[in-house]
């Protein structure tokens, strides 16, 4: 091979790849509005994006799978947490999720909290070509989770309570809670933890809807 | 050393070496946060800040190395002195000041919030000014003699691309997907584009000088290698566009092009080994030779093999956003660029210091310790990543519970990182004693 052949490889390799890349970039711009439902990208979402950047959230959390691996990916977080949970959590993370690995309190204003949740709600709607994938084992088992199980996950109960060997140790192990407590007792506990024990540090879940609380109590009382 | 102004490079290497040390210190701090869930520094130096500093220092020390390398290489290739040594020294001070301001800013929560590009906009403008001063000085030097060697041309192309791509990381874009689309133009097209050109030409220069093989052969292969790097790398950016809100066809384009990315890196290994085998002169600087060969091999494993392992969309779907990426990141940056800079330093500094033959036992210990430790580090992170993929992505366990099962591997990673840090300490000692005690 001569130097001029090598030079041709260099020039053509670069040009061909660049042309493909730029053409697809053009196409990306035509489609990105649709794929990211840009019509919902209002000024509160943009303000929330800046909050996300200003507090450097992305060096702990991944978003769209990119960033720090120290904290959960937030791409689809609004699919399994509600606004209320999110704002209570961001306002004072350790009180909602008292695990050892914790998020610092960043002292966001109420407006900033609302904005960043708007931003995450918008991100949740981005068409990510089905990423992250649904856990294979759940898909394979075909088992429909009980409604209470979803509430258990969404409220982050496992931050304090162990369930089947997984979870925190701040509250009691709930693996066989159904053999100790009735459904009614659990419902009461959720509504007002201090009713059973005045020194309880568990936060009240009176804010849950009647149905969610009942589902959760139903699920937990069935664990025997 | 043939030209007086090549000495400019030395100060760049000094700063690069010090920042490398600092990067490793912040790496150990960041890593400790994974091993012990309770973080006593959470309100002073939380994870996001220490990670930002760790990864920024990486980029900055490598850039200092590249710039030093350029100041060393261009006079010899252009056969003339650097146009303005004064400008080069001002540029060094300015760049270092911007770096210090950025890091101090992070400690006070002053951030722009995109990974690697956390520098607030005003500091990014400072970086652009530094880049322009640098390019202007280099271009002026090259224009003095207009000796357009391939090595020099590729180097210049890489530097211009490096500066040009940075522009895409400066602007705030409302749409996160579009922001990330162009963020990758900086991050990916740096490491798999511009930096490869710079590193490729520096390596070609070193091999040319070290082994005395014909310039024509070296330059021919340089063309082929960087041509294939850009062919696979530019469209290969698509492997970052699988899951960020971009059209589905990126899975095909990114998958196919990025699967070919190891090919040019393999060529580099073959090329390096052939140059050494067919050397025309006795290699006086054995230390630089060991680093060069080590770099070629580690580049192949870190960037090539480790990258290939999770670049196909069928695999990446499961591994994206896990410690698998962190494992690859450590391996690739170390093998491709940290080792290239260390090779460059071991090649250039003896010449700057008037050392004729270098065979530093300390340097070889540093090399062995760094390579061995890094290999174990990335293996540990890879195992952590596999545990994470299995428990979190396959079984559906929640994030924090999964992390609990990964702690052992974080600990292995962190212990090995101390081994790596020891290697870096040996290197720093050796660097500063070169020309004092190691003269032989």
């Amino acid at each position: 091979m001569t130097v001029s052949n090598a030079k041709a490889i260099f020039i053509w390799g670069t040009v061909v790849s660049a042309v493909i890349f730029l053409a697809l970039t053009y196409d990306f711009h035509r489609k990105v509005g649709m794929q990211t439902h840009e019509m919902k990208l209002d000024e509160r979402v943009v303000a929330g994006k800046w909050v996300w950047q200003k507090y450097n959230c992305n060096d702990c959390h991944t978003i769209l799978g990119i960033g720090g691996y120290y904290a959960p990916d937030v791409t689809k977080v609004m699919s399994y947490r509600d606004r209320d949970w999110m704002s209570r959590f961001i306002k004072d993370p350790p009180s909602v999720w008292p695990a050892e690995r914790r998020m610092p309190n960043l002292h966001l204003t109420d407006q900033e909290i609302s904005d960043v949740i708007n931003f995450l709600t918008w991100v949740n709607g981005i068409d990510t070509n089905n990423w992250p994938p649904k856990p294979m084992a759940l898909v394979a088992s075909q088992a429909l989770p009980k409604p209470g199980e979803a509430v258990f996950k969404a409220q982050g109960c496992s931050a304090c309570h162990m369930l089947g060997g997984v979870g925190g140790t701040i509250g009691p192990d709930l693996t066989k809670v159904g053999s100790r407590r009735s459904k009614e007792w659990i419902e009461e506990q959720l509504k007002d933890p201090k009713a059973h024990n005045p020194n309880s540090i568990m936060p009240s879940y009176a804010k849950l809807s009647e149905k969610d609380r009942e589902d959760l109590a139903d699920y937990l009382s069935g664990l025997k | 050393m043939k030209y007086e102004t090549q000495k400019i490079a030395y100060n760049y290497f000094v700063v690069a070496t010090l920042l490398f040390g600092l990067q490793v210190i912040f790496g150990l701090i960041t890593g400790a946060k994974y091993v012990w869930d309770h973080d006593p520094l959470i309100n002073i130096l939380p994870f996001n800040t220490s990670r930002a500093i760790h990864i920024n220092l990486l980029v900055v020390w490598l850039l200092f190395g590249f710039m030093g390398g350029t100041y060393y290489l261009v006079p010899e290739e252009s056969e003339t002195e650097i146009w303005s040594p004064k400008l080069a020294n001002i540029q060094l001070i300015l760049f270092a000041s911007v770096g210090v301001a950025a890091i101090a800013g992070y400690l006070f929560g002053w951030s722009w919030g995109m990974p690697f590009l956390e520098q607030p906009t005003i500091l990014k403008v400072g970086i652009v000014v530094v880049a322009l001063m640098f390019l202007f000085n280099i271009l002026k030097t090259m224009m003095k003699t207009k000796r357009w060697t391939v090595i020099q041309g590729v180097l210049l192309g890489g530097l211009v691309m490096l500066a040009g791509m940075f522009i895409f990381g400066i602007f705030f874009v409302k749409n996160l997907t579009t922001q990330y689309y162009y963020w990758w133009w900086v991050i990916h097209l740096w490491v798999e584009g511009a930096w490869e050109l710079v590193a490729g030409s520096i390596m070609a220069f070193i091999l040319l000088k070290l082994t005395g093989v014909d310039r024509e052969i070296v330059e021919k292969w340089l063309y082929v290698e960087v041509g294939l790097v850009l062919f696979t790398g530019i469209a290969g950016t698509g492997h970052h566009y699988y899951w960020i809100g971009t059209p589905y066809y990126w899975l095909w384009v990114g998958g196919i092009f990025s699967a070919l990315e190891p090919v040019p890196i393999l060529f580099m290994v073959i090329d390096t080994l052939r140059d050494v085998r067919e050397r025309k002169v006795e290699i006086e600087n054995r230390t630089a030779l060991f680093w060069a060969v080590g770099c070629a091999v580690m580049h192949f494993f870190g960037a090539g093999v480790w990258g290939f392992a999770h670049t196909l969309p069928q695999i990446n779907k499961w591994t994206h956003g896990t410690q698998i990426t962190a494992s690859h990141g450590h391996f690739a940056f170390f093998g491709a660029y940290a080792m290239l800079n260390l090779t460059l330093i071991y090649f250039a500094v003896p010449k700057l210091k008037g050392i004729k033959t270098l065979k530093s036992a300390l340097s070889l210990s540093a090399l062995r310790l760094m390579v061995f430790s890094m290999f174990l580090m990335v293996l540990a992170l890879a195992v952590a990543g596999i545990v994470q993929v299995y428990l979190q992505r396959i079984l559906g366990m929640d994030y924090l519970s999964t992390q609990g099962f990964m702690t052992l591997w974080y600990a292995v990673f962190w212990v090995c990182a101390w081994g790596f840090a020891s290697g870096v300490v040996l290197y720093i000692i050796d660097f500063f004693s070169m020309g004092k005690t190691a003269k032989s």
Side-chain angles (χ1 to χ4, degrees):
Chain A
M1 188 170 34
T2 62
V3 175
S4 62
N5 286 344
K7 192 174 179 179
I9 291 178
F10 169 68
I11 291 171
W12 283 107
T14 308
V15 169
V16 167
S17 196
V19 166
I20 294 172
F21 189 62
L22 291 174
L24 295 181
T25 296
Y26 173 74
D27 189 62
F28 158 74
H29 278 287
R30 289 196 320 137
K31 292 182 175 152
V32 68
M34 202 61 171
Q35 201 163 344
T36 61
H37 63 122
E38 228 169 32
M39 58 284 195
K40 289 188 184 160
L41 208 162
D42 60 25
E43 61 179 75
R44 297 302 356 137
V45 173
V46 175
K49 178 172 180 280
W50 175 241
V51 174
W52 168 260
Q53 287 185 223
K54 181 180 160 193
Y55 291 94
N56 201 20
C57 310
N58 213 168
D59 265 322
C60 282
H61 293 275
T62 46
I63 191 163
L64 302 172
I66 307 162
Y69 308 108
Y70 189 66
D73 186 86
V74 294
T75 313
K76 298 289 172 188
V77 66
M78 297 314 288
S79 291
Y80 53 93
R81 303 268 187 240
D82 56 32
R83 276 194 86 93
D84 172 63
W85 191 96
M86 287 294 282
S87 51
R88 280 188 296 121
F89 176 72
I90 299 171
K91 200 153 187 71
D92 187 9
S95 76
V96 175
W97 198 284
E100 278 290 335
R101 193 193 287 185
R102 63 182 52 172
M103 174 168 151
N105 188 338
L106 299 165
H107 305 290
L108 268 66
T109 64
D110 288 343
Q111 183 64 51
E112 286 177 325
I113 292 175
S114 165
D115 288 343
V116 81
I117 295 173
N118 282 344
F119 167 65
L120 292 172
T121 306
W122 175 81
V123 170
N124 189 47
I126 295 176
D127 171 4
T128 55
N129 294 328
N130 294 322
W131 188 88
K134 295 245 176 318
M136 219 187 261
L138 294 185
V139 176
S141 72
Q142 295 285 316
L144 286 173
K146 289 191 170 182
E149 202 175 334
V151 180
F152 188 88
K153 275 194 179 158
Q155 294 299 326
C157 307
S158 62
C160 300
H161 296 283
M162 190 78 82
L163 198 64
V166 175
T169 52
I170 292 160
D173 190 321
L174 298 180
T175 310
K176 291 183 175 181
V177 66
S179 57
R180 304 193 299 271
R181 306 291 186 203
S182 67
K183 184 181 165 190
E184 291 70 34
W185 192 97
I186 296 172
E187 276 199 70
E188 254 176 59
Q189 173 72 11
L190 288 167
K191 242 188 267 179
D192 180 13
K194 294 205 189 315
H196 294 126
N197 171 10
N199 297 324
S200 172
I201 55 163
M202 175 168 155
S204 161
Y205 284 84
K207 61 179 181 56
L208 287 181
S209 72
E210 198 67 40
K211 185 181 176 309
D212 278 356
R213 201 161 47 240
E214 205 186 320
D215 286 346
L216 183 54
D218 192 44
Y219 165 62
L220 290 173
S221 59
L223 300 172
K224 289 178 181 169
Chain B
M1 190 186 73
K2 293 176 187 159
Y3 298 90
E4 194 57 28
T5 48
Q6 284 180 293
K7 280 186 181 158
I8 295 167
Y10 185 69
N11 286 337
Y12 278 84
F13 295 148
V14 170
V15 178
T17 297
L18 294 175
L19 295 182
F20 181 29
L22 204 57
Q23 187 218 345
V24 171
I25 292 172
F26 275 92
L28 289 170
I29 296 171
T30 312
K33 292 171 193 286
Y34 277 114
V35 183
W36 289 278
D37 276 338
H38 177 72
D39 180 6
L41 299 177
I42 191 165
N43 293 315
I44 312 161
L45 185 69
F47 183 91
N48 58 349
T49 307
S50 69
R51 179 183 191 258
I53 296 175
H54 177 61
I55 62 180
N56 275 240
L57 282 169
L58 163 75
V59 175
V60 173
W61 89 258
L62 293 176
L63 288 178
F64 267 104
F66 288 155
M67 286 170 173
T70 306
Y71 283 123
Y72 183 86
L73 183 156
V74 170
E76 274 189 40
E77 286 292 291
S78 279
E79 295 181 353
T80 184
E81 298 286 356
I82 290 291
W83 180 68
S84 168
K86 199 173 165 191
L87 189 63
N89 289 327
I90 294 171
Q91 181 219 326
L92 173 98
I93 294 165
L94 189 62
F95 194 23
S97 313
V98 171
V100 170
I103 288 164
Y106 299 154
L107 292 170
F108 291 100
W110 193 31
S111 169
W112 194 70
M114 290 294 287
F116 287 97
L117 300 177
E118 295 92 343
Q119 315 82 36
T121 308
I122 180 85
L123 295 182
K124 285 208 180 75
V125 173
I127 295 168
V128 171
V129 171
V130 169
L132 289 177
M133 285 166 78
F134 174 63
L135 284 177
F136 184 69
N137 208 355
I138 294 303
L139 202 59
K140 274 290 207 185
T141 309
M142 290 179 178
M143 292 300 282
K144 279 206 286 184
T145 55
K146 296 189 179 141
R147 271 190 91 248
W148 297 115
T149 66
V150 178
I151 288 179
Q152 183 143 265
V154 170
L155 177 67
L156 183 64
L159 294 173
V160 170
M161 185 177 172
L162 201 161
M165 287 301 146
F166 187 67
I167 307 292
F168 292 97
I170 295 180
F171 302 101
F172 179 89
V173 182
K174 290 177 183 176
N175 187 324
L176 183 73
T177 294
T178 312
Q179 179 94 60
Y180 262 123
Y181 190 92
Y182 287 104
W183 181 82
W184 283 117
W185 284 37
V186 189
I187 308 304
H188 175 90
L189 289 175
W190 265 16
V191 296
E192 272 148 277
W195 287 27
E196 286 278 11
L197 299 195
V198 175
S201 66
I202 290 176
M203 191 55 116
F205 176 79
I206 293 173
L207 288 172
L208 178 72
K209 302 285 165 171
L210 217 50
T211 63
V213 289
D214 289 345
R215 178 179 277 271
E216 197 185 310
I217 294 174
V218 170
E219 295 199 329
K220 189 170 74 185
W221 279 98
L222 179 61
Y223 260 145
V224 173
E225 284 156 9
V226 295
L228 289 176
V229 162
L230 291 177
F231 176 71
T232 57
I234 295 175
T237 314
H239 68 193
H240 298 295
Y241 294 161
Y242 298 158
W243 326 114
I244 67 165
T246 38
Y248 189 80
Y249 54 68
W250 281 113
L251 272 67
W252 284 95
V253 179
I256 291 167
F257 278 89
S258 67
L260 295 171
E261 277 177 15
V263 174
I265 313 179
L266 183 63
F267 280 10
M268 289 177 198
V269 179
I270 296 168
D271 182 27
T272 306
L273 295 177
R274 199 207 43 239
D275 286 348
V276 174
R277 203 174 48 241
E278 294 174 7
R279 61 187 176 271
K280 298 270 173 63
V281 293
E282 197 46 48
I283 295 174
E284 289 173 333
N285 185 341
R286 304 282 292 174
T287 306
L289 173 75
F290 287 135
W291 279 97
V293 173
C295 174
V297 174
M298 292 295 275
H299 183 186
F300 178 68
F301 280 106
V305 177
W306 242 239
F308 181 79
H310 61 132
T311 199
L312 295 176
Q314 297 87 334
I315 295 169
N316 192 265
K317 178 179 172 181
W318 301 99
T319 60
H320 179 57
T322 68
Q323 293 291 355
I324 296 286
T325 317
S327 172
H328 165 57
H330 280 85
F331 208 171
F333 267 113
F334 175 69
Y337 299 119
M339 287 192 77
L340 183 274
N341 265 321
L342 296 173
T343 305
L344 164 67
I345 287 170
Y346 273 112
F347 171 75
V349 173
K351 290 195 188 294
L352 293 171
K353 295 272 178 185
I355 304 165
K356 200 153 163 48
T357 56
L358 185 74
K359 199 176 173 190
S360 161
L362 200 55
S363 173
L364 282 188
S365 303
L367 171 71
R368 288 196 193 103
L369 205 49
M370 277 192 226
V371 168
F372 185 64
S373 306
M374 180 53 79
F375 191 63
L376 292 180
M377 279 165 70
V378 300
L379 276 182
L381 269 192
V383 175
I386 292 165
V387 170
Q388 186 175 17
V389 169
Y390 184 70
L391 293 180
Q392 196 182 324
R393 294 274 165 78
I394 311 255
L395 296 186
M397 189 180 280
D398 73 90
Y399 176 87
L400 267 186
S401 306
T402 305
Q403 292 291 310
F405 289 95
M406 294 156 72
T407 308
L408 169 69
W409 299 102
Y410 287 141
V412 174
F413 167 74
W414 195 69
V415 168
C416 297
W418 276 97
F420 184 81
S422 316
V424 176
V425 170
L426 293 187
Y427 157 68
I428 293 174
I429 294 170
D430 194 46
F431 175 84
F432 284 106
S433 55
M434 255 192 284
K436 290 188 183 122
T437 53
K439 210 168 232 181
S440 61

